[in-house]
Amino acid sequence: MLRQNSLSNIILNQLSLSTNPSSSNESALGIAIIGLGGAVATTAVAGSLLMKKGLQEPVGLPLAEFGHLDLVSYKNLHFTGWDLYQDDLYKAAKHHGVLDREQLAAVEEDMSNMFPLQAIRNEAYCEGVVNGANSTETHRELVVTIQQQIADFKKEIGGNVVVINLASTESHIDLTDEKYQTVAAFEEAMDSHHECISPAMIYAYACITSGTPYGNFTPSVGADVPALRLLANELDVPVAGKDGKTGQTYIKTVIAPALRARALHVDGWFSTNILGNRDGEALRKPKSLLNKINTKGDVLANCLGYPVEDHVVKINYYKPRGDNKEAWDNIDVTGFLGHQMQIKVNFLCKDSILAAPLAMEIARCLDMAGRKGRGGVAEALGVFFKAPMTREGNEPNHNFTEQQLELLRWLEELNELDDTPLNKKVEEKQAI
Amino acid sequence: MLRQNSLSNIILNQLSLSTNPSSSNESALGIAIIGLGGAVATTAVAGSLLMKKGLQEPVGLPLAEFGHLDLVSYKNLHFTGWDLYQDDLYKAAKHHGVLDREQLAAVEEDMSNMFPLQAIRNEAYCEGVVNGANSTETHRELVVTIQQQIADFKKEIGGNVVVINLASTESHIDLTDEKYQTVAAFEEAMDSHHECISPAMIYAYACITSGTPYGNFTPSVGADVPALRLLANELDVPVAGKDGKTGQTYIKTVIAPALRARALHVDGWFSTNILGNRDGEALRKPKSLLNKINTKGDVLANCLGYPVEDHVVKINYYKPRGDNKEAWDNIDVTGFLGHQMQIKVNFLCKDSILAAPLAMEIARCLDMAGRKGRGGVAEALGVFFKAPMTREGNEPNHNFTEQQLELLRWLEELNELDDTPLNKKVEEKQAI
Amino acid sequence: MLRQNSLSNIILNQLSLSTNPSSSNESALGIAIIGLGGAVATTAVAGSLLMKKGLQEPVGLPLAEFGHLDLVSYKNLHFTGWDLYQDDLYKAAKHHGVLDREQLAAVEEDMSNMFPLQAIRNEAYCEGVVNGANSTETHRELVVTIQQQIADFKKEIGGNVVVINLASTESHIDLTDEKYQTVAAFEEAMDSHHECISPAMIYAYACITSGTPYGNFTPSVGADVPALRLLANELDVPVAGKDGKTGQTYIKTVIAPALRARALHVDGWFSTNILGNRDGEALRKPKSLLNKINTKGDVLANCLGYPVEDHVVKINYYKPRGDNKEAWDNIDVTGFLGHQMQIKVNFLCKDSILAAPLAMEIARCLDMAGRKGRGGVAEALGVFFKAPMTREGNEPNHNFTEQQLELLRWLEELNELDDTPLNKKVEEKQAI
Amino acid sequence: MLRQNSLSNIILNQLSLSTNPSSSNESALGIAIIGLGGAVATTAVAGSLLMKKGLQEPVGLPLAEFGHLDLVSYKNLHFTGWDLYQDDLYKAAKHHGVLDREQLAAVEEDMSNMFPLQAIRNEAYCEGVVNGANSTETHRELVVTIQQQIADFKKEIGGNVVVINLASTESHIDLTDEKYQTVAAFEEAMDSHHECISPAMIYAYACITSGTPYGNFTPSVGADVPALRLLANELDVPVAGKDGKTGQTYIKTVIAPALRARALHVDGWFSTNILGNRDGEALRKPKSLLNKINTKGDVLANCLGYPVEDHVVKINYYKPRGDNKEAWDNIDVTGFLGHQMQIKVNFLCKDSILAAPLAMEIARCLDMAGRKGRGGVAEALGVFFKAPMTREGNEPNHNFTEQQLELLRWLEELNELDDTPLNKKVEEKQAI
Ligand SMILES: NC(=O)c1ccc[n+]([C@@H]2O[C@H](COP(=O)([O-])OP(=O)(O)OC[C@H]3O[C@@H](n4cnc5c(N)ncnc54)[C@H](O)[C@@H]3O)[C@@H](O)[C@H]2O)c1
Ligand SMILES: NC(=O)c1ccc[n+]([C@@H]2O[C@H](COP(=O)([O-])OP(=O)(O)OC[C@H]3O[C@@H](n4cnc5c(N)ncnc54)[C@H](O)[C@@H]3O)[C@@H](O)[C@H]2O)c1
Ligand SMILES: NC(=O)c1ccc[n+]([C@@H]2O[C@H](COP(=O)([O-])OP(=O)(O)OC[C@H]3O[C@@H](n4cnc5c(N)ncnc54)[C@H](O)[C@@H]3O)[C@@H](O)[C@H]2O)c1
Ligand SMILES: NC(=O)c1ccc[n+]([C@@H]2O[C@H](COP(=O)([O-])OP(=O)(O)OC[C@H]3O[C@@H](n4cnc5c(N)ncnc54)[C@H](O)[C@@H]3O)[C@@H](O)[C@H]2O)c1
Ligand code: NA
Ligand code: NA
């Protein structure tokens, strides 16, 4: 049971601490991004550069007001990563049209000199993106390469590295396959270069077995393969995911619990989205869309305590929006004496602007968890995800405000701990 | 600090318990309403009757899913109260146009035989409503009458009584006046029949000094007079208020904390309301509107942690809406890298349908607090109010989800306690 | 070229005439409806009854304010028709949930005694509705039956009869088929009981060859088969269609021309609909939806003078709306100096309430055209349709206000003419 | 009565002509703007420059698609004018924040060298703007100066000049005063330097008596003083006004006539606006707001044919919008059988972007009218105004589409005429 006043204490803490953001950790942190040339990734890179140059305040960064936490400072973030496209990051950022003209100009020089590493290419999982030129290495060879690239990056920056998946959504996967259930079966599939292993899984496996924290911002199946979840727990490597909660689902998990608290019964919830960026185009492929809709689906029932018969979610590609996204929700509720009411929410948002800071916070939190010796599935990061991973694969709590309280509670708990020496379990595993 | 998993425990409890709502308290509870002939009051009375007749499920009642709590069952609620108008309650309900035709027909017989008691009339506080026929009794005489009416009602139903203020909003009051600061000064003003004492205060005083729990659903100044707050704390009489949080403010205190959690800076929040009922008409009077806008004002800053420069709230009388209300909110936010986004919320609601069940829950909770010996300002009921009263008169927490968690925590805590014998302190006070 | 002031004259006429609605035609008019048990049809029947009983003003009837026109009075309308379902009309109306309780009660007696005639059943065109029990008669036999039923109805009421198609949308048809191009080819297909002939075509053919005016409110292919259009023109039988313009398309053809008049370039127009009635369910079938989307498609380009690259139209079945429909439109426009703006329209409408009066007006106008000897395709009724038929099958004008002016002009023109004796050309045709 | 097909002919003309915009008039036209430093004026000046430089297509200019009309080409427009502020136009444009960064850069050189002439200053009519430094000249002296400035400008550009009022809204005026009724009384007030003569009237008088066409885009009282309207008609000088129809009223006069055409009875229309520019700030002054609301008021009744009981119009100053404006309209309608529906329109627009091209078109049309000898009140320009002036001061037609048709008809009519020699009547008047 909660101790009295605990909630308002958290609030008071927030208020007082936001005036003293001076204590944060000044070591370096490397973020290696899968999908480095994408809209979200280049926005994160540019944002970090703009902050370093003093051209940008840390607005829109959820944990900026908690300066007393032992998280690496935004100014000490470094970026590398992989992409199918080999364009320099300035060109990529310009293409995505997220940054305004002035911001682009300010980062042109730096980002023109940043290039993605060659990514794992596998047409079977990224339909239409790879153009047939699949990677020729075996799964195991790819793992070795990735681990070497991470090690090099660590050396280069002189600090920890976290990997964040920001790549295009991969095709839907049937997770009941036996090969996904145990570490042994999974590793056998790895060894035999089996086709059931997707690029996202290879990256996740490379991270977990090298003790590198891994966060999955995409709907793709990565560390949430049962075998990998077990492995991460076993080796104490922080992993989190999946599918960033930025727009409509964010709003949904904010409003639905409040409707429940007032016993306003949701008869139907119609959600439609219009978006015009590369991600929107990818979602036109039925297989990728399936992944996305699935991660949106059960959220509502979870927040309400009952399934909503008419919960409709539509995602429409609509060019005029560009990277801006627009969500329109209509909610039909029944209240006291059976009377009906409606709530309509229209969210004119910018996808990458919402997503990039979350990706950065996930990285900072995973790093802190790793340093404090709190590996395995980081359930407390659920507030950042549409489909939060849980330790046992159980139903997560989607209630946004409760997730936020849980995150803050966990961070305060971590904050009391000292940094631990290197992860012994990973070393042992590697030794085998 | 919260114990791990406590939040999800609450959630799990909710789910399991909603399937077993059988354990609630079967004694009688009387609700004496100031403003018994009003839209909210008659909706509560009718709703209670419809539930008793088995014609209505307890939908829209926030605490219905917590059947294990020792709250009086909805079926055992009884109503009486005061109004300026002496129409029978059927006629009043019909006038307000909240219930549908069938519901009205089902309660016609019962409500035709229910009449309000004569209310305190004071033109100075209820401009345009009383039509000059002020009450002729002294303040003290009125207190005696009210206390006698409450005592009669108790006897009649054979149970406890709680008073809920659902009367028209009174004029704005300057609470810094010395007469409001101490119990002694206030009682002197009572004795001298001073004009600074409003009807709402007389009712509140009559309740507190007779040990009757008192809830204020209106923006009027009642038990929140500093002297009365002190007295309620001193005598351990449960009081709660004020101004029911039903429509736009409810939504505001749900969304604003979620914007803060994502560090989306609110540049402006434009709220406009259109409503066409008697309450809307009363709010056309600048003095009453002032009371209303004040209770809406500081909520936003509280949820966000900073004041919003352009927070505009408009209330417009617009007949076609009738008792239905419509709120339109436009929220301008700045996110990462200074990019701007907008959220628009359109709430097509029914004022009295939202309000009546809250009034009923407030009564049930205050009664339980009284029985468990937990008197004074019931801070944990803050989730029901736009301007929650606090024990010391400090700034309350307006974050809706945190308020809801606090309420549930408090109720669970009360639930562990046994009912206590009669309130000794009140008896002593009365003896003086 | 328009004569000066002509437009404002029309306006002035409207104003003056609406005060003198006394001159309308008092003869009887029979409306025989295909789909008599449907939501729109039963609303029209009930509405007519309510007006006859003096329980309803003629609100929502577009031509009610033009009482000087020689249109049959609303009070003199009589109804019959066909349906697949044989329920009485009271039961059908109750099922559709359009009328409120009081209205239903007022028409119960009358409508309980009205039953649809057995309709043409053809599973191939009405997937899932007929349940396999196809009509066993030949096309020609069906035509004879229908013509006999019309003749009987005429005798019964002692007045003219008009047929209106309000049946479920039939499957999409490829109108380029040779059998549809000439009267000879079409009649050969009729004679040979060819499968290319749909129920809607049989009804249309039966009407045209018996001189009965025919209006098609559905998206189904009826008199717009090229051969039937030619035949109607040749025989001077008034026909009009198709697909009633009630909700989103109505709004679209109102707003789009106004954007053009301000040279606001439409970059994208996203339209989504949620509706929960039987029609909405029918539209879940891809074939029927195709018919619907097609009739919505080219409207926008026509109003704007250029095609809109991102014109998206979605129709979603969503039960909580019931017969109420909701449309949400987002329009992206570019104005002076390339600056972008947005217009969003949210239409909370009632499908059958909008449709029924239009069906009644179409019937009244077609009857008047027939009486005045102005047969063939009634282009001037375009304002009532999403896909207006034209004499030569050319592109129609979709600009709503221009269509309305055209309708009023045409009615004034007809009003100057005397009623003509029977249609000679039809008699000659029948004689063959 | 309209000749058949006339409407579709206009449409066809539009389509064909838009492909041949080559024939327009290549002489020079000077536009002298009252309020040259304002948001609308600087947008017009910048837009014209950008088109001349080939950096901007003529998008957003309503008459651009009618290239066959004898209107002066956009490239041949020249600007001068008056303002209270003496800042160069680049500085002014930058302040208003309408143009984007690139557009500002492209016009910096030109506009830095453009300065407003000193305007008439009169604190009594422009509260808070003039800062007490009223003009010291007499009314008559001001007229002479203005006429000299116009004459100089004509010489400079070698072409005609038109004056457009784009100044801040002046205080409300009681037009029933006797001094406003006849030319003689008005001229006497001019001669006696009477305080009833506002700056806007002095400019209008200077224009009319020098044969200079005058358009009033503001709600201020200018040429619509009865005496000036008479004088303009008498002297055959084209005048038009008043109050540009750009945002909410534009949408209102588009939608309302369409509701009437469907006999959807408007029970209420709630319109609220949020805007944050200088004009919005000026409208916070009750006197100026009164002028604005008045010009918006009767529009609706005019379009519908009956007064709307609950027509509420609110204008709110709300900084985050800047020059962008947002309008939210809620329309309650009753349809067939008394059923209620709602339409909500949300217009996210840019005030000056909508206004500037209209000001330019008004100037081009007034010039053409002058050249063709069609002076006096130009009723056919009503489509551009919220409160269109009429020849006799009668109620105008506000129906947007009808206004647009009327404009096109009138322009075609003018187009048939030859240019006429100088205005004899003005010369005679001047000679007196
Ligand atoms: N933006 C949001 O609000 C949001 C929210 C939730 C989830 N997401 C997810 O985040 C991801 C990124 O979104 P985005 O808008 O930046 O998309 P994007 O299409 O702009 O970028 C994805 C990048 O990944 C690269 N890529 C594809 N396959 C790869 C592979 N196998 N290895 C490495 N790189 C690969 C692509 O070349 C591309 O550059 C998507 O999966 C999206 O669904 C985004
Ligand atoms: N409905 C909501 O959503 C909501 C939300 C928050 C607060 N409130 C407040 O609740 C109150 C009731 O709202 P309502 O819609 O029922 O209003 P209402 O006007 O329908 O009812 C108020 C009733 O109080 C009576 N009254 C006035 N002065 C009185 C007095 N001195 N003693 C006894 N009765 C008196 C009136 O005669 C009337 O019958 C209002 O103050 C309103 O501001 C309502
Ligand atoms: N309501 C609107 O606003 C609107 C607008 C435009 C077009 N329409 C069209 O009007 C038609 C009627 O709409 P509704 O809402 O009343 O639909 P509905 O489904 O309620 O009614 C259709 C009726 O037609 C009957 N039917 C089906 N096939 C038939 C046949 N071959 N012969 C005779 N009856 C047959 C059905 O049994 C049903 O009773 C639909 O085609 C719809 O697309 C409606
Ligand atoms: N923008 C629109 O959509 C729109 C629509 C309808 C009407 N209007 C009207 O157009 C006018 C201009 O709007 P704006 O947004 O450009 O306003 P603004 O405030 O930006 O510009 C007005 C300019 O007029 C100047 N001015 C004031 N009094 C003057 C005087 N006596 N002589 C000369 N200059 C004077 C001011 O100094 C200022 O520079 C306003 O009256 C407004 O109400 C604008
Ligand atoms: Na959709
Ligand atoms: Na408002």
Side-chain angles (χ1 to χ4, degrees), chain D residues 232-244:
Chain D
N233 286 343
E234 195 183 296
L235 299 184
D236 261 357
V237 180
V239 298
K242 71 182 191 180
D243 202 6

Side-chain angles (χ1 to χ4, degrees), chain D residues 92-371:
Chain D
K94 200 171 170 183
H95 167 83
H96 294 304
V98 175
L99 304 172
D100 65 34
R101 216 171 292 273
E102 277 197 324
Q103 292 171 336
L104 262 182
V107 298
E108 175 164 6
E109 204 183 310
D110 297 274
M111 289 181 70
S112 296
N113 291 309
M114 296 178 76
F115 295 88
L117 300 163
Q118 182 55 263
I120 308 179
R121 284 151 295 146
N122 186 339
E123 183 75 22
Y125 290 96
C126 308
E127 207 188 315
V129 192
V130 180
N131 297 320
N134 281 2
S135 301
T136 51
E137 299 90 334
T138 64
H139 292 346
R140 279 293 176 191
E141 287 166 353
L142 289 165
V143 168
V144 170
T145 304
I146 292 164
Q147 292 183 336
Q148 187 57 49
Q149 290 166 328
I150 292 172
D152 293 347
F153 187 38
K154 269 191 181 161
K155 207 172 294 169
E156 183 192 327
I157 61 164
N160 290 334
V161 164
V162 170
V163 170
I164 302 291
N165 187 354
L166 288 172
S168 316
T169 305
E170 296 182 355
S171 311
H172 186 63
I173 276 165
D174 174 12
L175 270 184
T176 61
D177 188 326
E178 287 208 350
K179 296 188 193 61
Y180 296 139
Q181 308 313 317
T182 64
V183 176
F186 186 86
E187 295 200 323
E188 204 180 290
M190 283 292 297
D191 294 335
S192 64
H193 195 68
H194 196 282
E195 62 183 26
C196 75
I197 307 292
S198 73
M201 295 176 201
I202 297 175
Y203 283 110
Y205 181 81
C207 290
I208 293 168
T209 56
S210 65
T212 312
Y214 168 88
N216 183 8
F217 203 78
T218 81
S220 307
V221 173
D224 49 326
V225 171
L228 291 178
R229 197 179 62 227
L230 292 170
L231 191 59
N233 286 343
E234 195 183 296
L235 299 184
D236 261 357
V237 180
V239 298
K242 71 182 191 180
D243 202 6
K245 178 152 88 171
T246 48
Q248 199 170 45
T249 306
Y250 155 55
I251 296 288
K252 196 170 275 178
T253 59
V254 167
I255 290 178
L259 297 177
R260 180 184 189 167
R262 287 298 199 236
L264 297 170
H265 185 272
V266 177
D267 305 321
W269 194 309
F270 178 78
S271 300
T272 194
N273 294 275
I274 50 183
L275 74 167
N277 56 15
R278 217 196 264 173
D279 184 36
E281 228 180 332
L283 290 174
R284 301 180 99 171
K285 289 165 219 148
K287 279 192 206 163
S288 302
L289 182 59
L290 192 60
N291 253 346
K292 195 82 178 184
I293 298 274
N294 279 356
T295 65
K296 282 181 166 224
D298 31 48
V299 161
L300 195 51
N302 177 282
C303 289
L304 291 170
Y306 54 88
V308 174
E309 212 185 335
D310 277 84
H311 182 205
V312 181
V313 180
K314 301 278 174 185
I315 301 178
N316 302 280
Y317 182 64
Y318 175 74
K319 256 192 298 182
R321 269 300 159 275
D323 186 64
N324 297 352
K325 179 149 88 179
E326 180 163 353
W328 183 73
D329 283 78
N330 170 74
I331 316 165
D332 284 275
V333 301
T334 296
F336 193 51
L337 306 184
H339 286 258
Q340 292 175 336
M341 294 170 271
Q342 298 177 22
I343 303 170
K344 291 158 210 301
V345 184
N346 188 202
F347 191 5
L348 291 148
C349 67
K350 302 192 177 172
D351 238 18
S352 306
I353 290 295
L354 291 172
L358 301 193
M360 289 161 79
E361 297 298 18
I362 292 164
R364 297 205 311 154
C365 290
L366 288 175
D367 167 60
M368 182 170 167
R371 280 189 283 114

